[in-house]
Amino acid sequence: SIKSSFKNSIAYYGDMLRREYMSEQKIIGEFEDALSMGQFAMFLQPVVNMDGKIAMAEALVRWIHPDRGIIAPGSFIPLLEKTGYIYKLDMFIWEQAVKRLAYWASIDRDDVSISVNISVKDFYYIDLFETFTSLVEKYRVDPKRLKLEITESIFMTEKERQIDIINSLKEYGFLIEIDDFGSGYSSLNMLKEVPADILKMDMAFLSMDKNASKGRKIINTIITLAKALGMFVIIEGVENKEQLDYLSGTGADYLQGYYFDKPLPVKKFEEYYL
Ligand code: C2E
Ligand code: MG
Ligand code: MG
Ligand code: MG
């Protein structure tokens, strides 16, 4: 009955919250140690052009936990964002990314770039302009090879401030990428106000459910819009040949997804793609 399923769901959520609270205390406690012990690693997922050739990689963090194995970011990033710790992890990942870019240039592969994720919280805890410019200066990397992924969440509070920061990064030479486009509430306004070079479409529009044909129409229209604004388009979440075949005729520029490869340890990525 409705009543008993309501009761069950209360019990379920209560339990979940208790578990979440426990793991919150635990994870925050473990986090600093884990960072200093080198348990976080940058993984790289290939992003290919329409001919299937490597164009860039997205840097995605993994927690290599001694007891729990490889932990995906979904389970700890929200917590680090809530507590503000996220900037420490992000700064670590960004430096790994810039180091790789420097190494790739040294082996004549400066054609491959890297995208890094930025949390809205990072805008408040650190000076992003100072952080990114000193990184590329330290490792002598062309800022054009570092793509900064931001999401619609930067529009939730003090958007003018965030836009100023993004403008300064763009002016310096970094490329700006809008991640998960279309999943939030301010997408179109963001296109107008953020000087983005690349639009990465949210994977929801690719899903093969009963609304798949609507999803395809949205993909086509967004690509047309992005092109009119002079942006490149990445389609994220490509999982099968059918999606690939469809996307070939859309005018998208780059593809990313399990169909090509999952996020890989750096060494594996370099072995397969460089
Ligand atoms: P995102 O930036 O949108 O990254 C794409 C996510 O989609 C990744 O999940 C990737 O593994 C996954 N993915 C790629 N291809 C496919 C596919 O074909 N199908 C499906 N179902 N998924 C696919 P991941 O690595 O678990 O990361 C989740 C989210 O965590 C990221 O979403 C990003 O928002 C955040 N994140 C990851 N690494 C970092 C980081 O270093 N810093 C920050 N601030 N956030 C990060
Ligand atoms: Mg991303
Ligand atoms: Mg995304
Ligand atoms: Mg995301």
Side-chain angles (χ1 to χ4, degrees), residues 117 151 179-180 202 236:
N117 289 282
T151 67
D179 197 4
D180 304 334
D202 192 75
E236 184 172 46

Side-chain angles (χ1 to χ4, degrees), residues 38-247:
Q39 290 178 8
F40 289 99
M42 173 179 74
F43 275 40
L44 293 172
Q45 185 178 32
V47 177
V48 300
N49 66 23
M50 300 309 287
D51 301 326
K53 288 215 179 72
I54 188 71
M56 55 187 120
E58 179 172 5
L60 295 158
V61 66
R62 295 291 181 266
W63 186 341
I64 318 292
H65 196 283
D67 312 319
R68 286 183 277 158
I70 298 183
I71 308 176
S75 65
F76 59 89
I77 283 198
L79 201 63
L80 294 180
E81 285 185 324
K82 206 168 118 192
T83 53
Y85 280 104
I86 185 68
Y87 77 91
K88 294 190 184 173
L89 182 60
D90 279 346
M91 287 174 78
F92 169 75
I93 295 294
W94 301 337
E95 181 155 14
Q96 300 302 305
V98 173
K99 278 187 189 170
R100 266 14 249 172
L101 288 174
Y103 169 63
W104 296 351
S106 80
I107 58 165
D108 238 21
R109 290 309 306 265
D110 59 1
D111 55 311
V112 186
S113 57
I114 298 183
S115 301
V116 294
N117 289 282
I118 301 179
S119 162
V120 62
K121 285 297 181 86
D122 297 328
F123 283 85
Y124 292 95
Y125 286 85
I126 45 174
D127 180 337
L128 286 174
F129 183 80
E130 165 62 25
T131 302
F132 282 112
T133 56
S134 22
L135 270 181
V136 293
E137 276 159 25
K138 180 173 173 194
Y139 293 99
R140 299 171 187 279
V141 161
D142 181 352
K144 274 188 203 59
R145 299 177 58 219
L146 191 64
K147 301 183 164 81
L148 309 180
E149 294 197 359
I150 51 172
T151 67
E152 291 158 333
S153 63
I154 61 151
F155 266 37
M156 283 181 343
T157 52
E158 295 184 57
K159 73 171 184 185
E160 308 304 337
R161 183 179 167 275
Q162 269 86 257
I163 291 170
D164 282 350
I165 295 168
I166 293 163
N167 273 316
S168 67
L169 289 161
K170 159 101 176 174
E171 246 161 63
Y172 185 86
F174 295 101
L175 296 194
I176 308 298
E177 192 176 309
I178 301 178
D179 197 4
D180 304 334
F181 182 82
S183 65
Y185 63 97
S186 59
S187 310
L188 296 177
N189 196 28
M190 191 162 173
L191 285 188
K192 181 167 160 264
E193 299 195 37
V194 172
D197 303 280
I198 303 169
L199 181 154
K200 191 185 271 192
M201 189 110 52
D202 192 75
M203 44 185 114
F205 301 113
L206 262 190
S207 77
M208 309 286 266
D209 62 11
K210 66 175 172 27
N211 296 318
S213 84
K214 277 193 197 169
R216 289 180 169 189
K217 284 175 185 143
I218 293 170
I219 289 175
N220 282 316
T221 307
I222 299 295
I223 291 172
T224 305
L225 178 59
K227 296 282 136 181
L229 295 170
M231 300 169 75
F232 290 103
V233 175
I234 301 176
I235 309 287
E236 184 172 46
V238 181
E239 291 180 347
N240 57 55
K241 181 80 166 59
E242 195 187 334
Q243 292 169 332
L244 173 64
D245 289 343
Y246 173 71
L247 291 167

